[in-house]
Amino acid sequence: MKKLSIGLIITSLTILISCTKAIIDEGANTGTIEPIDGMVKYEPHVRSIIFNHCVTCHGGAAPSAGV
């Protein structure tokens, strides 16, 4: 029983310590990011991002990660 309690405490502490708060530096890569001031639509906004960054690996007959 004592070993179970110690294991539970160690596991709980490990989980709590591993939790972090993500900090996103929005201007790190581009210098500045402009706010979106209009409606975002699938055509042409989202489709071009998916096509340029996802479909090349995750499309076709043998998609990466089965996606």
Side-chain angles (χ1 to χ4, degrees):
M1 183 77 170
K2 188 174 182 178
K3 288 183 181 183
L4 179 64
S5 297
I6 293 172
L8 184 59
I9 291 170
I10 291 172
T11 303
S12 299
L13 287 175
T14 304
I15 291 170
L16 288 174
I17 291 171
S18 67
C19 295
T20 61
K21 182 178 179 181
I23 299 173
I24 300 171
D25 186 5
E26 294 178 349
N29 296 328
T30 61
T32 60
I33 295 179
E34 297 296 322
I36 298 172
D37 59 354
M39 177 77 81
V40 175
K41 298 179 182 178
Y42 184 79
E43 275 295 331
H45 304 113
V46 177
R47 184 175 185 262
S48 64
I49 294 169
I50 291 173
F51 183 77
N52 292 327
H53 298 283
C54 303
V55 173
T56 54
C57 294
H58 297 287
S64 178
V67 179

